[in-house]
Amino acid sequence: MKSIAVFCASSDGVDAVIFEEAYHVGEYLAKNNIKLVYGGSKLGLMGQVAKGILDNKGSAIGVIPDFLKTKEVVHTGLTELITTNNMHERKLKMHDLSEGFIALPGGFGTLEELFEILTWGQLGLHKHPIGILNSNNYYDDLLEMMDKMVAKGLLKKSNMNLVLVASNIEELIDKMRHFEPMPVPKWMNKNQT
């Protein structure tokens, strides 16, 4: 993987472990020559990931919708900053630039990005690995909810296998490097008779 999109909060949060881990993610990506693709903000966990990669001579591409591109929000020290017309174009551009996806702790926006990219993977629209960095057990309840979806028959176990989880970036990247994509569902294969 030469580039990874990172989804995470534009807030600092109140958990110092999570905040420090965000910086470490950027540091790790830089030291492993993996380009960061992210939402382009200098704030919160997003800013920490960017700081970690830039402090360690890595490459960071920010993708930000025009309406968020204000001096209070946008990171002006990135390798590249791409402006889009709206949020949907932003996600599509991040997808196009990335060979993998990681969700760090975040709020509604992070979850929306995570579940959209998982849905695209489930539908065979991409074959890239998707990771959840479960910093300080942040995602335990969400992972339990996903297990409940499987138990209730509303999510296939094979689709749950799209979600790679680890509590540290080193283990997560290792899992992502060994990821085997699912075959495209038969009902999605137009060439099948």
Side-chain angles (χ1 to χ4, degrees), residues 38-63:
Y38 86 116
S41 177
K42 66 181 180 183
L43 304 175
L45 300 185
M46 291 172 72
Q48 279 298 102
V49 176
K51 182 171 173 31
I53 201 160
L54 295 170
D55 283 355
N56 291 277
K57 311 282 189 270
S59 180
I61 299 175
V63 184

PDB file of all heavy atoms in Angstrom, residues 38-63:
ATOM      1  N   TYR A  38      -6.339  12.428   3.605  1.00  0.00           N
ATOM      2  CA  TYR A  38      -7.272  12.691   4.697  1.00  0.00           C
ATOM      3  C   TYR A  38      -8.053  13.963   4.403  1.00  0.00           C
ATOM      4  O   TYR A  38      -7.902  14.575   3.346  1.00  0.00           O
ATOM      5  CB  TYR A  38      -6.523  12.767   6.034  1.00  0.00           C
ATOM      6  CG  TYR A  38      -5.948  14.121   6.369  1.00  0.00           C
ATOM      7  CD1 TYR A  38      -6.410  14.836   7.473  1.00  0.00           C
ATOM      8  CD2 TYR A  38      -4.974  14.716   5.573  1.00  0.00           C
ATOM      9  CE1 TYR A  38      -5.898  16.089   7.778  1.00  0.00           C
ATOM     10  CE2 TYR A  38      -4.454  15.949   5.876  1.00  0.00           C
ATOM     11  CZ  TYR A  38      -4.928  16.643   6.978  1.00  0.00           C
ATOM     12  OH  TYR A  38      -4.433  17.881   7.280  1.00  0.00           O
ATOM     13  N   GLY A  39      -8.891  14.385   5.326  1.00  0.00           N
ATOM     14  CA  GLY A  39      -9.841  15.461   5.102  1.00  0.00           C
ATOM     15  C   GLY A  39      -9.319  16.873   5.055  1.00  0.00           C
ATOM     16  O   GLY A  39     -10.085  17.806   4.851  1.00  0.00           O
ATOM     17  N   GLY A  40      -8.017  17.084   5.212  1.00  0.00           N
ATOM     18  CA  GLY A  40      -7.413  18.385   4.986  1.00  0.00           C
ATOM     19  C   GLY A  40      -7.465  19.387   6.124  1.00  0.00           C
ATOM     20  O   GLY A  40      -7.055  20.530   5.963  1.00  0.00           O
ATOM     21  N   SER A  41      -7.927  18.961   7.299  1.00  0.00           N
ATOM     22  CA  SER A  41      -8.046  19.891   8.423  1.00  0.00           C
ATOM     23  C   SER A  41      -6.773  19.920   9.264  1.00  0.00           C
ATOM     24  O   SER A  41      -6.050  18.928   9.355  1.00  0.00           O
ATOM     25  CB  SER A  41      -9.225  19.491   9.312  1.00  0.00           C
ATOM     26  OG  SER A  41      -9.315  20.337  10.441  1.00  0.00           O
ATOM     27  N   LYS A  42      -6.541  21.075   9.893  1.00  0.00           N
ATOM     28  CA  LYS A  42      -5.433  21.186  10.848  1.00  0.00           C
ATOM     29  C   LYS A  42      -5.911  20.934  12.272  1.00  0.00           C
ATOM     30  O   LYS A  42      -5.128  20.957  13.209  1.00  0.00           O
ATOM     31  CB  LYS A  42      -4.789  22.565  10.752  1.00  0.00           C
ATOM     32  CG  LYS A  42      -5.689  23.712  11.198  1.00  0.00           C
ATOM     33  CD  LYS A  42      -4.999  25.050  11.061  1.00  0.00           C
ATOM     34  CE  LYS A  42      -5.906  26.186  11.500  1.00  0.00           C
ATOM     35  NZ  LYS A  42      -5.278  27.497  11.314  1.00  0.00           N
ATOM     36  N   LEU A  43      -7.200  20.697  12.446  1.00  0.00           N
ATOM     37  CA  LEU A  43      -7.806  20.569  13.767  1.00  0.00           C
ATOM     38  C   LEU A  43      -7.916  19.121  14.231  1.00  0.00           C
ATOM     39  O   LEU A  43      -7.982  18.197  13.427  1.00  0.00           O
ATOM     40  CB  LEU A  43      -9.210  21.190  13.756  1.00  0.00           C
ATOM     41  CG  LEU A  43      -9.322  22.643  13.304  1.00  0.00           C
ATOM     42  CD1 LEU A  43     -10.783  23.064  13.232  1.00  0.00           C
ATOM     43  CD2 LEU A  43      -8.528  23.557  14.211  1.00  0.00           C
ATOM     44  N   GLY A  44      -7.966  18.943  15.534  1.00  0.00           N
ATOM     45  CA  GLY A  44      -8.312  17.670  16.152  1.00  0.00           C
ATOM     46  C   GLY A  44      -7.390  16.522  15.801  1.00  0.00           C
ATOM     47  O   GLY A  44      -6.194  16.702  15.549  1.00  0.00           O
ATOM     48  N   LEU A  45      -7.977  15.319  15.778  1.00  0.00           N
ATOM     49  CA  LEU A  45      -7.208  14.125  15.452  1.00  0.00           C
ATOM     50  C   LEU A  45      -6.690  14.198  14.021  1.00  0.00           C
ATOM     51  O   LEU A  45      -5.592  13.722  13.720  1.00  0.00           O
ATOM     52  CB  LEU A  45      -8.052  12.861  15.652  1.00  0.00           C
ATOM     53  CG  LEU A  45      -8.601  12.608  17.061  1.00  0.00           C
ATOM     54  CD1 LEU A  45      -9.304  11.256  17.128  1.00  0.00           C
ATOM     55  CD2 LEU A  45      -7.517  12.704  18.122  1.00  0.00           C
ATOM     56  N   MET A  46      -7.481  14.813  13.131  1.00  0.00           N
ATOM     57  CA  MET A  46      -7.035  14.978  11.748  1.00  0.00           C
ATOM     58  C   MET A  46      -5.715  15.750  11.706  1.00  0.00           C
ATOM     59  O   MET A  46      -4.771  15.368  11.011  1.00  0.00           O
ATOM     60  CB  MET A  46      -8.101  15.714  10.929  1.00  0.00           C
ATOM     61  CG  MET A  46      -9.357  14.901  10.695  1.00  0.00           C
ATOM     62  SD  MET A  46     -10.687  15.869   9.935  1.00  0.00           S
ATOM     63  CE  MET A  46     -10.056  16.052   8.286  1.00  0.00           C
ATOM     64  N   GLY A  47      -5.657  16.834  12.451  1.00  0.00           N
ATOM     65  CA  GLY A  47      -4.445  17.643  12.507  1.00  0.00           C
ATOM     66  C   GLY A  47      -3.275  16.893  13.112  1.00  0.00           C
ATOM     67  O   GLY A  47      -2.123  17.064  12.684  1.00  0.00           O
ATOM     68  N   GLN A  48      -3.561  16.056  14.096  1.00  0.00           N
ATOM     69  CA  GLN A  48      -2.497  15.265  14.734  1.00  0.00           C
ATOM     70  C   GLN A  48      -1.896  14.246  13.771  1.00  0.00           C
ATOM     71  O   GLN A  48      -0.683  14.055  13.747  1.00  0.00           O
ATOM     72  CB  GLN A  48      -3.035  14.545  15.977  1.00  0.00           C
ATOM     73  CG  GLN A  48      -3.110  15.412  17.200  1.00  0.00           C
ATOM     74  CD  GLN A  48      -1.741  15.913  17.619  1.00  0.00           C
ATOM     75  OE1 GLN A  48      -1.375  17.056  17.362  1.00  0.00           O
ATOM     76  NE2 GLN A  48      -0.965  15.059  18.262  1.00  0.00           N
ATOM     77  N   VAL A  49      -2.741  13.572  12.999  1.00  0.00           N
ATOM     78  CA  VAL A  49      -2.228  12.606  12.020  1.00  0.00           C
ATOM     79  C   VAL A  49      -1.347  13.332  11.008  1.00  0.00           C
ATOM     80  O   VAL A  49      -0.242  12.884  10.692  1.00  0.00           O
ATOM     81  CB  VAL A  49      -3.375  11.851  11.308  1.00  0.00           C
ATOM     82  CG1 VAL A  49      -2.823  10.929  10.231  1.00  0.00           C
ATOM     83  CG2 VAL A  49      -4.200  11.051  12.305  1.00  0.00           C
ATOM     84  N   ALA A  50      -1.827  14.474  10.515  1.00  0.00           N
ATOM     85  CA  ALA A  50      -1.049  15.254   9.541  1.00  0.00           C
ATOM     86  C   ALA A  50       0.268  15.720  10.152  1.00  0.00           C
ATOM     87  O   ALA A  50       1.325  15.652   9.510  1.00  0.00           O
ATOM     88  CB  ALA A  50      -1.872  16.448   9.054  1.00  0.00           C
ATOM     89  N   LYS A  51       0.217  16.175  11.390  1.00  0.00           N
ATOM     90  CA  LYS A  51       1.443  16.632  12.080  1.00  0.00           C
ATOM     91  C   LYS A  51       2.431  15.483  12.197  1.00  0.00           C
ATOM     92  O   LYS A  51       3.634  15.646  11.936  1.00  0.00           O
ATOM     93  CB  LYS A  51       1.085  17.187  13.453  1.00  0.00           C
ATOM     94  CG  LYS A  51       2.278  17.735  14.246  1.00  0.00           C
ATOM     95  CD  LYS A  51       1.812  18.462  15.501  1.00  0.00           C
ATOM     96  CE  LYS A  51       2.909  18.887  16.428  1.00  0.00           C
ATOM     97  NZ  LYS A  51       4.195  19.227  15.874  1.00  0.00           N
ATOM     98  N   GLY A  52       1.941  14.302  12.560  1.00  0.00           N
ATOM     99  CA  GLY A  52       2.814  13.136  12.700  1.00  0.00           C
ATOM    100  C   GLY A  52       3.513  12.775  11.406  1.00  0.00           C
ATOM    101  O   GLY A  52       4.706  12.456  11.405  1.00  0.00           O
ATOM    102  N   ILE A  53       2.794  12.854  10.297  1.00  0.00           N
ATOM    103  CA  ILE A  53       3.421  12.480   9.019  1.00  0.00           C
ATOM    104  C   ILE A  53       4.360  13.567   8.533  1.00  0.00           C
ATOM    105  O   ILE A  53       5.453  13.295   8.052  1.00  0.00           O
ATOM    106  CB  ILE A  53       2.369  12.084   7.953  1.00  0.00           C
ATOM    107  CG1 ILE A  53       3.023  11.236   6.872  1.00  0.00           C
ATOM    108  CG2 ILE A  53       1.666  13.284   7.358  1.00  0.00           C
ATOM    109  CD1 ILE A  53       2.081  10.405   6.045  1.00  0.00           C
ATOM    110  N   LEU A  54       3.954  14.827   8.676  1.00  0.00           N
ATOM    111  CA  LEU A  54       4.792  15.926   8.185  1.00  0.00           C
ATOM    112  C   LEU A  54       6.048  16.123   9.027  1.00  0.00           C
ATOM    113  O   LEU A  54       7.118  16.423   8.491  1.00  0.00           O
ATOM    114  CB  LEU A  54       3.975  17.211   8.112  1.00  0.00           C
ATOM    115  CG  LEU A  54       2.826  17.184   7.084  1.00  0.00           C
ATOM    116  CD1 LEU A  54       1.930  18.397   7.249  1.00  0.00           C
ATOM    117  CD2 LEU A  54       3.359  17.072   5.666  1.00  0.00           C
ATOM    118  N   ASP A  55       5.942  15.932  10.348  1.00  0.00           N
ATOM    119  CA  ASP A  55       7.114  16.026  11.227  1.00  0.00           C
ATOM    120  C   ASP A  55       8.174  14.989  10.875  1.00  0.00           C
ATOM    121  O   ASP A  55       9.349  15.155  11.188  1.00  0.00           O
ATOM    122  CB  ASP A  55       6.716  15.826  12.695  1.00  0.00           C
ATOM    123  CG  ASP A  55       6.046  17.043  13.313  1.00  0.00           C
ATOM    124  OD1 ASP A  55       5.972  18.105  12.643  1.00  0.00           O
ATOM    125  OD2 ASP A  55       5.581  16.923  14.468  1.00  0.00           O
ATOM    126  N   ASN A  56       7.727  13.900  10.236  1.00  0.00           N
ATOM    127  CA  ASN A  56       8.625  12.795   9.905  1.00  0.00           C
ATOM    128  C   ASN A  56       8.890  12.684   8.406  1.00  0.00           C
ATOM    129  O   ASN A  56       9.192  11.622   7.893  1.00  0.00           O
ATOM    130  CB  ASN A  56       8.066  11.489  10.474  1.00  0.00           C
ATOM    131  CG  ASN A  56       8.138  11.477  11.982  1.00  0.00           C
ATOM    132  OD1 ASN A  56       9.182  11.163  12.545  1.00  0.00           O
ATOM    133  ND2 ASN A  56       7.047  11.843  12.652  1.00  0.00           N
ATOM    134  N   LYS A  57       8.748  13.828   7.721  1.00  0.00           N
ATOM    135  CA  LYS A  57       9.099  13.952   6.296  1.00  0.00           C
ATOM    136  C   LYS A  57       8.256  13.078   5.380  1.00  0.00           C
ATOM    137  O   LYS A  57       8.706  12.660   4.311  1.00  0.00           O
ATOM    138  CB  LYS A  57      10.584  13.645   6.067  1.00  0.00           C
ATOM    139  CG  LYS A  57      11.542  14.365   6.999  1.00  0.00           C
ATOM    140  CD  LYS A  57      11.743  15.801   6.592  1.00  0.00           C
ATOM    141  CE  LYS A  57      12.852  16.477   7.373  1.00  0.00           C
ATOM    142  NZ  LYS A  57      12.420  17.131   8.588  1.00  0.00           N
ATOM    143  N   GLY A  58       7.005  12.786   5.797  1.00  0.00           N
ATOM    144  CA  GLY A  58       6.105  12.021   4.956  1.00  0.00           C
ATOM    145  C   GLY A  58       5.279  12.925   4.059  1.00  0.00           C
ATOM    146  O   GLY A  58       5.415  14.148   4.079  1.00  0.00           O
ATOM    147  N   SER A  59       4.415  12.299   3.288  1.00  0.00           N
ATOM    148  CA  SER A  59       3.592  13.008   2.311  1.00  0.00           C
ATOM    149  C   SER A  59       2.130  12.966   2.742  1.00  0.00           C
ATOM    150  O   SER A  59       1.611  11.906   3.098  1.00  0.00           O
ATOM    151  CB  SER A  59       3.762  12.335   0.943  1.00  0.00           C
ATOM    152  OG  SER A  59       2.987  12.979  -0.024  1.00  0.00           O
ATOM    153  N   ALA A  60       1.478  14.136   2.699  1.00  0.00           N
ATOM    154  CA  ALA A  60       0.077  14.238   3.130  1.00  0.00           C
ATOM    155  C   ALA A  60      -0.740  14.989   2.093  1.00  0.00           C
ATOM    156  O   ALA A  60      -0.421  16.123   1.741  1.00  0.00           O
ATOM    157  CB  ALA A  60      -0.018  14.943   4.471  1.00  0.00           C
ATOM    158  N   ILE A  61      -1.801  14.343   1.615  1.00  0.00           N
ATOM    159  CA  ILE A  61      -2.737  14.980   0.692  1.00  0.00           C
ATOM    160  C   ILE A  61      -4.032  15.241   1.446  1.00  0.00           C
ATOM    161  O   ILE A  61      -4.653  14.315   1.984  1.00  0.00           O
ATOM    162  CB  ILE A  61      -3.035  14.081  -0.522  1.00  0.00           C
ATOM    163  CG1 ILE A  61      -1.758  13.798  -1.302  1.00  0.00           C
ATOM    164  CG2 ILE A  61      -4.084  14.730  -1.429  1.00  0.00           C
ATOM    165  CD1 ILE A  61      -1.943  12.822  -2.442  1.00  0.00           C
ATOM    166  N   GLY A  62      -4.434  16.496   1.488  1.00  0.00           N
ATOM    167  CA  GLY A  62      -5.706  16.867   2.093  1.00  0.00           C
ATOM    168  C   GLY A  62      -6.765  17.043   1.017  1.00  0.00           C
ATOM    169  O   GLY A  62      -6.482  17.577  -0.059  1.00  0.00           O
ATOM    170  N   VAL A  63      -7.957  16.565   1.300  1.00  0.00           N
ATOM    171  CA  VAL A  63      -9.087  16.723   0.378  1.00  0.00           C
ATOM    172  C   VAL A  63     -10.209  17.385   1.167  1.00  0.00           C
ATOM    173  O   VAL A  63     -10.723  16.797   2.118  1.00  0.00           O
ATOM    174  CB  VAL A  63      -9.551  15.365  -0.198  1.00  0.00           C
ATOM    175  CG1 VAL A  63     -10.654  15.570  -1.232  1.00  0.00           C
ATOM    176  CG2 VAL A  63      -8.381  14.592  -0.811  1.00  0.00           C
TER     177      VAL A  63
END
